[in-house]
Amino acid sequence: MTDSYAVIGNPVEHSLSPGIHAAFARQTGEDIAYEKITAPRDGFESVARRFFAAGGRGLNVTVPFKLDAYEFADRLTERARAAGAVNTLALQSDGGILGDNTDGAGLVADIRNNLGWPIAGARVLMVGAGGAARGAMLPLLEQGPAQVHIANRTAIRAERLAREFARHGVLSGGGFDNLDSLQGTFDLVINASAASLSGELPPLPGALIGPASHAYDMVYGAQPTPFMSWAAERGAKTADGLGMLVGQAAESFMLWRGVKPETAPVLQELRARLQAQ
């Protein structure tokens, strides 16, 4: 019997998730069907309940419903609780719904496994203090970086996020206006802000990055983002978030099916498709 899964969002037409999970299913021999569901912005709960009542096994959740999914879940994983948001819902054997957040795990898997960049012992700068940064924080800190500094346009949000995760590592936070006071370059700079979505560059001093640095933008596209171009001009190695997208999907697939697919061939296929557009 074919098991049903879907991605739910608004808008959701652009989602690459159906193709990704179809590739995972072919690779692993799992019998699944995967669709896109557009829910009214005030109708997540009713749509999700209908999906599971009709026999659905799991949902990927995208904007703007990750907070709704957090409230919808009957129980949460530790990383979902830490993120304060859910991007994956899974039906459990007792009929309950488990909420998970696989975004941070996808980020870490891409940085470590696909790119081969070190996180353990690294000095890390996280740009942005919103949901994307929060979702990545616990999995990132579990890798043992030497230090994580969170920089945000509104300093108090960065400081608050640093305090919330302080027991998991060495953290600090502040506004963009005090970045000049930080000494030396960072080993890893992660852009978790929304700046690249509008073609903008966060106000980052060039002295924060150099030829030994690595720069990762959570946004992806056919061309390098402004953040990636800025980092490359200073000699840093760069990457976008396409591998994170595939990595978080693999974590969801593992949660649902109990088997971990290989991400590299799927990532290569998506990259070739993007560059051909």
Side-chain angles (χ1 to χ4, degrees), residues 11-77:
V12 77
E13 292 80 11
H14 66 286
S15 176
L16 300 178
S17 293
I20 293 172
H21 284 280
F24 289 162
R26 290 193 299 269
Q27 180 192 122
T28 60
E30 294 292 310
D31 185 9
I32 72 167
Y34 192 106
E35 62 177 323
K36 300 176 186 178
I37 298 175
T38 301
R41 288 183 175 263
D42 60 351
F44 172 83
E45 181 177 352
S46 61
V47 173
R49 289 204 185 282
R50 283 199 302 271
F51 174 81
F52 285 109
R57 305 289 300 178
L59 285 171
N60 285 135
V61 183
T62 187
V63 293
F65 298 129
K66 292 184 180 183
L67 296 181
D68 298 271
Y70 184 92
E71 297 298 329
F72 179 83
D74 298 310
R75 60 188 76 108
L76 299 165
T77 63

Side-chain angles (χ1 to χ4, degrees), residues 204-230:
L204 302 173
L208 294 179
I209 202 165
S213 302
H214 303 86
Y216 191 99
D217 199 328
M218 289 189 183
V219 172
Y220 65 88
Q223 302 299 323
T225 66
F227 169 79
M228 292 168 63
S229 297
W230 169 84

Side-chain angles (χ1 to χ4, degrees), residues 107-109 111-112 117-124 139-141 143-146 188:
L107 170 71
V108 167
I111 291 174
R112 286 187 56 193
W117 297 353
I119 301 176
R123 188 177 187 227
V124 180
L140 183 70
L141 291 169
Q143 299 303 307
L188 174 62

Side-chain angles (χ1 to χ4, degrees), residues 21-277:
H21 284 280
F24 289 162
R26 290 193 299 269
Q27 180 192 122
T28 60
E30 294 292 310
D31 185 9
I32 72 167
Y34 192 106
E35 62 177 323
K36 300 176 186 178
I37 298 175
T38 301
R41 288 183 175 263
D42 60 351
F44 172 83
E45 181 177 352
S46 61
V47 173
R49 289 204 185 282
R50 283 199 302 271
F51 174 81
F52 285 109
R57 305 289 300 178
L59 285 171
N60 285 135
V61 183
T62 187
V63 293
F65 298 129
K66 292 184 180 183
L67 296 181
D68 298 271
Y70 184 92
E71 297 298 329
F72 179 83
D74 298 310
R75 60 188 76 108
L76 299 165
T77 63
E78 181 184 2
R79 58 192 184 187
R81 194 173 290 107
V86 159
N87 79 334
T88 304
L89 293 168
L91 181 66
Q92 303 295 282
S93 58
D94 63 359
I97 305 296
L98 177 69
D100 196 5
N101 191 306
T102 65
D103 287 332
L107 170 71
V108 167
D110 191 33
I111 291 174
R112 286 187 56 193
N113 303 336
N114 294 329
L115 299 170
W117 297 353
I119 301 176
R123 188 177 187 227
V124 180
L125 174 64
M126 178 70 75
V127 182
R134 179 182 296 276
M137 198 58 64
L138 182 60
L140 183 70
L141 291 169
E142 287 175 341
Q143 299 303 307
Q147 173 201 3
V148 176
H149 181 79
I150 305 165
N152 191 60
R153 199 172 300 276
T154 306
I156 194 169
R157 292 189 68 187
E159 294 162 359
R160 187 184 302 125
L161 187 58
R163 286 195 299 271
E164 286 184 31
F165 286 88
R167 65 188 178 92
H168 297 286
V170 180
L171 287 98
S172 55
F176 290 135
D177 54 357
N178 73 351
L179 283 173
D180 284 321
S181 65
L182 301 178
Q183 299 298 311
T185 59
F186 283 85
D187 302 305
L188 174 62
V189 181
I190 301 172
N191 183 22
S193 75
S196 292
L197 292 173
S198 54
E200 298 176 357
L201 176 69
L204 302 173
L208 294 179
I209 202 165
S213 302
H214 303 86
Y216 191 99
D217 199 328
M218 289 189 183
V219 172
Y220 65 88
Q223 302 299 323
T225 66
F227 169 79
M228 292 168 63
S229 297
W230 169 84
E233 288 170 1
R234 288 155 180 80
K237 297 182 178 67
T238 67
D240 69 9
L242 188 63
M244 177 181 173
L245 174 71
V246 177
Q248 64 83 23
E251 289 286 326
S252 296
F253 195 89
M254 174 67 180
L255 181 68
W256 292 333
R257 309 302 297 179
V259 58
K260 188 71 172 286
E262 293 292 329
T263 58
V266 180
L267 177 56
Q268 290 170 3
E269 179 183 336
L270 287 179
R271 182 70 67 193
R273 196 182 307 165
L274 270 179
Q275 292 175 345
Q277 289 178 353

